[in-house]
Amino acid sequence: MAEILVESHNLVKIYKANDLEVVALQGLDLRVPRGEMLALVGPSGAGKSTLLNILGGLDEPSAGRCEVAGVDLTRLTRRERLLYRRRIVGHVWQQTSRNLLSDMTLLDNVITPMMLAGYPAGRRRNRAKELLGLVGLGDRLDHKPVRLSGGEQQRGALAVALANEPPLLLADEPTGELDSVTAGEVLKLLRRLNAELGLTTIVVTHDLHVAEAMDRSVAIRDGRTSTEVRHAETTEETVIIDGVGRLQIPRSALDTIPFDGRARVHVAADHVELWPVGVLAGPRQDAARER
Ligand code: ADP
């Protein structure tokens, strides 16, 4: 079985604003094998960015477990958190302006994170050139971001994010500001980086095309992982069942069946049925129909 690179269990994040508490993550479970390309989808306010910020070491979990590449994110000192951010994760944001420093050339943009992480001085320039070549910008080394197109800026952002060879790439709507052709090129590049570098990639997106370009889409609803689609295997959406057996019943089922907050569980030989209380379940109802 593939090594698990990202594992969260019962992850909780509570934000406190004035006297109000917002529970952004309510016991979220997620396992991401090394090398997977994963899309996080779901309605606005569901907790996707919160999860990405925790995985990126930008925010601390309030409770639960969260490990990335063997690093326990619940108990990091400030210094450890800084090192984690520099070495274990690379970030690409939707806003191209947030990814690149505007007064530096592309080459210096890629060299800077290596400098901060103490990457050997003699190798920085060559590695930066190699990376910019890999993302197709080998002829733009001396350009400042303002002279690059949106797609080139996002490809440059990828080179910056990968400068310190992180095993995990986090991207928040990386193609959100691009037209569909340019977005397609960036997605192809993500796939190539995944194949060539074994990069594990987690993308937050509202865009179905982006989600379908990943290996798996996991939907987050109300601060928990709710359903998933494994694109390589099937187009069928499946419900995620966590380690203690919790699942989120799809909204469409809740809207159609009057569960009223409870269900009777009927275990059949090869499946399980949930019935509203007061309705005859399974075979007994079939028998009733036959009578
Ligand atoms: P998504 O990325 O799925 O749109 P978010 O993770 O941004 O969702 O937000 C989840 C919930 O947490 C929302 O209710 C949001 O208002 C709240 N939230 C996010 N960040 C903060 C913050 N810094 N302070 C207070 N509440 C926050």
Side-chain angles (χ1 to χ4, degrees):
M1 227 183 92
E3 176 201 347
I4 299 297
L5 186 74
V6 176
E7 178 153 31
S8 81
H9 180 62
N10 239 336
L11 186 61
V12 174
K13 176 67 191 178
I14 301 171
Y15 289 110
K16 294 195 179 77
N18 302 322
D19 284 343
L20 275 183
E21 285 193 346
V22 178
V23 189
L25 299 180
Q26 318 207 22
L28 181 140
D29 284 13
L30 180 71
R31 280 159 69 89
V32 185
R34 191 181 277 272
E36 184 173 47
M37 295 184 78
L38 177 75
L40 294 177
V41 300
S44 191
K48 304 180 296 295
S49 303
T50 302
L51 176 59
L52 212 66
N53 285 342
I54 289 178
L55 296 179
L58 299 170
D59 234 334
E60 282 179 64
S62 307
R65 223 160 33 80
C66 190
E67 277 190 19
V68 177
V71 178
D72 180 351
L73 294 179
T74 57
R75 47 184 86 221
L76 291 182
T77 61
R78 277 171 73 97
R79 167 104 192 118
E80 287 167 341
R81 189 167 294 281
L82 192 69
L83 290 178
Y84 171 85
R85 286 209 298 261
R86 285 182 183 159
R87 295 185 181 153
I88 308 290
V89 283
H91 258 287
V92 175
W93 307 98
Q94 174 174 3
Q95 301 86 353
T96 47
S97 54
R98 193 169 169 188
N99 293 317
L100 298 169
L101 296 166
S102 59
D103 53 353
M104 276 188 191
T105 65
L106 205 45
L107 190 66
D108 285 338
N109 261 285
V110 183
I111 287 175
T112 302
M114 290 191 233
M115 238 161 66
L116 293 173
Y119 204 89
R123 286 173 47 205
R124 287 177 204 152
R125 239 184 134 70
N126 278 347
R127 171 151 175 85
K129 283 186 183 169
E130 247 174 58
L131 269 171
L132 286 165
L134 188 65
V135 300
L137 294 174
D139 55 351
R140 300 280 198 280
L141 305 183
D142 297 325
H143 283 41
K144 291 204 172 152
V146 70
R147 290 184 55 205
L148 302 170
S149 70
E152 286 173 336
Q153 289 187 33
Q154 287 310 68
R155 284 191 275 139
L158 276 168
V160 173
L162 301 182
N164 291 318
E165 304 176 51
L168 178 63
L169 176 72
L170 302 173
D172 199 346
E173 298 280 9
T175 59
E177 291 187 352
L178 306 179
D179 64 73
S180 59
V181 174
T182 315
E185 286 165 12
V186 171
L187 288 177
K188 261 195 212 144
L189 177 60
L190 280 177
R191 180 57 72 182
R192 194 151 67 81
L193 294 172
N194 169 259
E196 288 184 18
L197 308 176
L199 188 67
T200 309
T201 306
I202 301 183
V203 175
V204 164
T205 187
H206 284 100
D207 184 334
L208 201 63
H209 290 110
V210 176
E212 284 173 352
M214 302 295 125
D215 301 322
R216 177 164 67 122
S217 301
V218 168
I220 305 215
R221 206 176 85 204
D222 298 332
R224 289 199 186 117
T225 43
S226 121
T227 55
E228 69 171 32
V229 181
R230 291 174 189 254
H231 300 289
E233 295 169 14
T234 169
T235 54
E236 187 185 21
E237 187 180 58
T238 53
V239 174
I240 296 171
I241 303 173
D242 74 11
V244 291
R246 288 178 304 189
L247 56 78
Q248 283 190 330
I249 297 177
R251 175 74 57 201
S252 55
L254 290 178
D255 290 344
T256 317
I257 312 289
F259 279 114
D260 290 332
R262 301 187 297 158
R264 261 213 331 265
V265 180
H266 175 76
V267 183
D270 57 356
H271 66 281
V272 172
E273 296 166 0
L274 295 181
W275 290 81
V277 176
V279 174
L280 282 179
R284 275 192 288 150
Q285 194 192 42
D286 293 343
R289 269 201 219 108
E290 277 160 23
R291 274 203 296 272

